[in-house]
Amino acid sequence: MKIQTKITLHFLALSTAILLLLNAFILYFEYQFNYKDFFKRLEARVNITADIRLFPDEKTKAYQEVRNRYLEKLDAEKEQLIKSGPDGKFTNPGLPKVFFNDVINNGNAEFKKNNQFYAGKIVKHGDDKYLVVVSAQNPYGLLEIQELQEVLFYGFIGSVIIILFAGKAFSFYIFAPVRKLTDKVNTITSSNLHMRLEHTGKDEIAELSETFNNMLNRLETAFETQNNFVSNASHELRTPLTIINSEVELAINKTKTDSEEHTILTTIQSETNKLTQILNGLLTLAQSGYDGKKQNWQTIRIDELIWEAISSVKKIQPQSDIEVDFADIPSDEQLLNVSGNNNLLNLAITNIISNACKYSEFRLVTVKLSIEDKKVIISIKDLGIGIPATELQHIFVPFFRASNTHEFKGHGVGLPLALNIIRLHKGSIGIRSEVNMGTDIQVFLPAASA
């Protein structure tokens, strides 16, 4: 998941949490206000009821008239006037027990059960005591709360949608310099390492640009060093080796076959040839690490390339037994095309097939070609000595040779070179191996249509 998307989601989650908390506070205080307001209305009715029924006079008649004309009649409103007994105690006439006890103990109380509200107080009249209770329902208050809940719900949904799009716009704006930086970095290859990133200000993006520029300085120096080595090594190293080899060959021809000098000269020639092979492998390995744009890129039929590679192997190792399996190739020939350098790909496939033949002691090697998800898959499977499981991770390290390969000639350059070439073509290599059972190497290359 991209950081831009993460920021959008985190912004959305934080804003949603704040909205939920705000809505909860609004509902809570609305409940409290609504209930308190209704209880005040009930308390007013308790006082008026006590005045009218216990202290009748001219004013109480006015109270009665005002109440009847101007006070709203509450739903299920009910008045109760309860006189205490001779002992001064009250008998519960069916009121909620908690409410009744609270009024008796405190002199007044409020109580709510579901949507039924109660308010009451004890009033003294002469030597007598009276319990005045008014109860009613509050459907309008409940409806008001329900409407508020509906408004808050739809407001919450709308706010979340707005926050989502605002978060996306916000993160898009914040990451604009990062995208610009990424686009610029993607244009830099080994062929234009002199390019640098522009940076202004003193923010984190400027620091990142400066870090990239420092890295590019080091990379440019390293590539120039490698380029100079590869450019000069052919002449500076191969020429002396060629002269040595020619002089040794001339000396061998002038010595007797069974002489000690002949044996020494033959050894020198053999080691010189070996050194030349190692040098050629190293130079090719270094060259294969260059940017692909420097190579001669073209469209290649992979099945034809495989036949060319097999032909090259058989010229070097005539005793090789290679079987080709093209049963799974598609009818559409366009899917067999890959983009790349024919010579480099030929070298990579040849190295892998050659290794399979050599380390299987020239038993059957199967080369299979298939297409899957716009990827060309070349499988080279042998019945050879295999690779120990603990050493599989090292086989693409230059000059590394498995512990069971001492009886076979090699320099440990072929597979690293093949991997470099395949990576240069934006592909990958997979390997499965078991000691004394064989090795299966799969080469994955993107089809040209991809």
Side-chain angles (χ1 to χ4, degrees), residues 130-172:
Y130 293 88
L131 174 59
V132 183
V133 177
V134 177
S135 62
Q137 293 182 354
N138 187 22
Y140 298 109
L142 201 61
L143 180 61
E144 182 181 329
I145 291 174
Q146 289 175 347
E147 289 178 350
L148 177 62
Q149 286 177 332
E150 187 174 341
V151 169
L152 289 176
F153 174 76
Y154 287 112
F156 172 76
I157 297 299
S159 299
V160 168
I161 294 174
I162 293 173
I163 289 170
L164 176 61
F165 286 101
K168 290 185 69 174
F170 174 75
S171 61
F172 182 84

Side-chain angles (χ1 to χ4, degrees), residues 61-110:
K61 291 181 180 179
Y63 287 161
Q64 181 70 39
E65 185 178 353
V66 169
R67 176 177 182 175
N68 292 336
R69 291 182 62 181
Y70 297 109
L71 283 184
E72 174 189 2
K73 184 70 174 177
L74 302 177
D75 279 27
E77 183 177 343
K78 181 180 178 182
E79 300 175 355
Q80 297 183 65
L81 186 66
I82 306 159
K83 185 178 180 180
S84 64
D87 56 356
K89 295 183 178 180
F90 293 94
T91 302
N92 190 345
L95 298 172
K97 187 175 180 180
V98 174
F99 170 68
F100 181 77
N101 292 335
D102 201 12
V103 174
I104 298 302
N105 294 330
N106 300 321
N108 59 74
E110 298 172 346

Side-chain angles (χ1 to χ4, degrees), residues 302-440:
I302 204 67
D303 53 341
E304 296 176 358
L305 181 75
I306 289 174
W307 286 118
E308 291 175 10
I310 292 174
S311 176
S312 300
V313 171
K314 288 191 172 181
K315 288 179 181 178
I316 302 170
Q317 302 167 338
Q319 66 273 45
S320 299
D321 184 8
I322 304 172
E323 179 182 78
V324 180
D325 181 0
F326 284 173
D328 292 336
I329 62 173
S331 56
D332 185 2
E333 295 181 354
Q334 296 298 320
L335 296 176
L336 298 174
N337 291 335
V338 298
S339 295
N341 181 280
N342 188 78
N343 293 332
L344 287 177
L345 278 179
N346 188 309
L347 178 59
I349 302 302
T350 299
N351 279 346
I352 296 174
I353 297 175
S354 176
N355 277 355
C357 294
K358 179 171 64 175
Y359 293 114
S360 65
E361 298 178 305
F362 303 105
R363 289 195 288 271
L364 179 65
V365 172
T366 303
V367 180
K368 184 178 180 180
L369 177 63
S370 59
I371 309 294
E372 183 178 333
D373 296 331
K374 293 187 177 181
K375 285 187 177 181
V376 177
I377 304 173
I378 307 169
S379 174
I380 297 101
K381 187 174 183 180
D382 64 58
L383 303 173
I385 61 174
I387 304 168
T390 57
E391 300 177 8
L392 268 175
Q393 58 183 328
H394 304 296
I395 63 168
F396 293 111
V397 177
F399 299 110
F400 176 82
R401 303 193 70 211
S403 57
N404 57 348
T405 60
H406 297 305
E407 297 181 3
F408 300 86
K409 292 183 179 181
H411 309 296
V413 176
L415 281 181
L417 175 59
L419 179 63
N420 268 17
I421 293 172
I422 298 303
R423 282 179 174 173
L424 185 65
H425 290 77
K426 302 187 185 303
S428 59
I429 294 181
I431 183 166
R432 292 192 298 267
S433 186
E434 188 175 347
V435 175
N436 297 325
M437 296 295 293
T439 301
D440 183 5

